[in-house]
Amino acid sequence: MNKISNTELFTVMISLFTFLFPMIGTFTILKEGNTSSLSVLILGFIFSIIPVLLIMFIGKRCKNKNIFQFNRDNFGLFGYILNFLYFIGIIFIYIVIAWTTLNFTINQLLIRNSYYTIAFIYSTILVIAVCKGKEIICRTSLILYIIFFLSVVISFSLLIPKINLENVLPIISIKPQKIFNLALLIPGYFAYPLVTLLCIKRNDIRNNNKTNKTIALAFIISSFIVFMFYFFIISTYGIELASLYVFPEYNLFKEIDVLDFIQRVENIMASTFFISAFSGVCMIIYFLKLYFKDLFKMKNKVKINATTFVIAIIVPFLSIYLFSNYNLQFLMEKYSIFSSIILITLIINFIFIKIKRVNKN
Amino acid sequence: MKKIIFLVTLIILMSGCSYKEINELAIANSIGIDYIDDKYVISAQVMDLTKSQKDNSTEENTILYIGSGDSIPDAIRDITLKYPNTLYLGHLELMIVGKGMLEEGIDKTFDYFMRSPEARNDSLLIVSDEFDAKEILNPNKESKESFPTKDIITTIENSMERNGSIEKVTFEDFVSNYLKKGMDPILPIIELSKSPTKDYKNNTIKKMALFRDKKYLGSIDSDVMIVYNTLKNNYSDIIIVENYKNSKVSSVLINPSSSYDIKIKDNKPVITFNIKVESQLIDVYEKIDLTKDKNIRELNNLLNNKMKKYVNDFVDFSIENNVDILGIKNKMYKHYKKEYDNYKNKNIYKEAKLDINVDIKLFRYGNANRNSTGGNL
């Protein structure tokens, strides 16, 4: 089996760190955080260090086993419960990201199209990558990352003339307690999806002794990208307008106008969101695939792929059904609270490892 | 082979959405919003593609689509029911709010255009306090321009660049200023002059409309707007006429590099206006010897005093109407949030100490070294 490199994994990590922001994170934070959103973000990144350190700690112990095998073998029944809790957390993220991605696609780009058709097409593409395995996800991610990086750099460069630094002021416009509370939501968008990396055995990564360093680097780069997006949104639009939009990043691209010649490029730039989400969502599906594979001890490749396909299709369909039939909008606003099940599981997992003294080997 | 089948499937499935031929679309360049007899009336000026093709001419012709309804989207839908083509707002360049809508509340126009993914928010926004938007958008049969939208946009741009009495405001800018703390938004006013005998009309844009607390207050004098645009460095060159030794002297103000700020000194706000403009003499009617340093200094002082008078008028206007079109209070909110709370319901121009610095430098005299009546230059 081909091993994956840290560079490839780095691009997947960037996707996992950033993909939830354009869809739900930015909207929620800007709405409540006002011009203090930048302070919220910085504080939130500091809080995010805790789950990332836990993921690094647990990841180091998953040398020859993925997290499901590791928990099952070391903690027996409790291991199964832990795996189930991870599964619940990740499936919740998948439901939310599926709904918001579809909502964005249909509201902004493919108006008057069926949610189910778009969900089917999008999920099919993801499933193909997931069925091919983590090597394909990582390699695709590397290529997409180059496109993502280029479009982000070009967009930011073209938006520099639109910056009005006064729009960022006052730095503190809401109560410090509220800044603190909002910052607690950031790990939900930023760090929790990274837990999916635990389904990759460390031995499947080349130079795996450097993987934690790669995680740290991806953490820094991703926080910088997210921060720059927030900075450009607030300084270009002003918080009053920015907080009105559901997809502020998409609207930000509408502002690109070079000499009345390069303009209206928001739909091209919107591909950035799909690119940034691609490997992230693939990792989520891959995580779910391995969970079922481990739970039902599946060996047959066709069965595994069929299960993957069913999960990848059912979850977006379920999200469409739930969000369109029941008033579940509160799930978006309380996303971080619900997703904190991942943090709780990580902490319990960490305590179990410490109690059982499971070493790195 | 599998890959080819997959790619072909993708091409078929992802070939586009809600596909429509261009001649099936009514591409609206401008839209008028009126409120008449408790109904929203939308007038959309669209390009008449069929006529251009028939006549084989390059001239653009327009049609005015009008629809009414209980809400803006309802009125837009009414257009779709009346006319064969689908109204497309993706190329909107101009939005005109008519007098009825202005009285009803301009804020009622915001939501549809902000929410709709099809409409452009960067189109220019203007109002009319005397006419309905549909009257303004109605194509002019006798004028050389058959496309009023372009006419109006050019007039707005020229008025701002060469007159200083107008500021170009996009729909998005207006909504943003409207929502900002400590700022009263403004919009250009379009006026219509009709010939009583012929089917002729002319659009002029010379004034700005002032809004406070979601209400239209009235228009702003051009002198006030000159100060506003000088402080915002909005224009390229504007003309100032003054009396000097029983003669009219015209100067052009160019390259404004002004600034304005608010600071708190000894617990009291201090507003600073730093006006810095270059000036060029462009027209002298009498024999004025401009080689004399004294005359030049006097002319320069006249210009400076005139600008100071304009600034004082600007301050008086702001106090009289209790408005802040420059957003001085917004600056205060951004830099001195605590102090802003004390002043948010007060008129800042009344409360603050004013520090006005005007520096107009007259040092350009154009091509002629003497004036046409014989005086030295």
Side-chain angles (χ1 to χ4, degrees), chain B residues 191-252:
Chain B
E191 286 169 5
L192 198 65
S193 48
K194 282 179 182 171
S195 163
T197 50
K198 292 179 181 177
D199 181 15
Y200 175 80
K201 65 184 177 73
N202 194 24
N203 295 320
T204 51
I205 300 164
K206 281 184 181 170
K207 287 181 189 167
M208 294 292 282
L210 174 64
F211 295 86
R212 193 190 64 207
D213 301 331
K214 301 181 180 181
K215 292 246 157 60
Y216 167 61
L217 278 191
S219 63
I220 307 172
D221 291 342
S222 60
D223 295 357
V224 172
M225 278 311 294
I226 284 175
V227 176
Y228 175 89
N229 279 325
T230 307
L231 286 166
K232 290 220 161 192
N233 304 318
N234 271 345
Y235 56 76
S236 86
D237 55 290
I238 61 164
I239 291 167
I240 301 269
V241 183
E242 59 201 307
N243 288 317
Y244 180 64
K245 291 181 180 173
N246 301 321
S247 163
K248 296 275 184 201
V249 177
S250 300
S251 317
V252 65

Side-chain angles (χ1 to χ4, degrees), chain B residues 136-183:
Chain B
I136 294 158
L137 283 177
N138 206 3
N140 194 353
K141 282 180 187 161
E142 291 209 356
S143 164
K144 63 181 188 311
E145 287 286 347
S146 56
F147 212 65
T149 307
K150 284 185 181 166
D151 227 4
I152 293 167
I153 291 169
T154 316
T155 313
I156 295 171
E157 279 166 357
N158 283 342
S159 291
M160 187 170 110
E161 292 284 317
R162 315 298 298 268
N163 196 298
S165 58
I166 292 296
E167 190 192 27
K168 200 165 82 171
V169 184
T170 64
F171 176 73
E172 211 166 53
D173 289 341
F174 183 73
V175 176
S176 175
N177 290 342
Y178 189 87
L179 294 171
K180 272 180 186 162
K181 285 179 184 173
M183 184 172 238

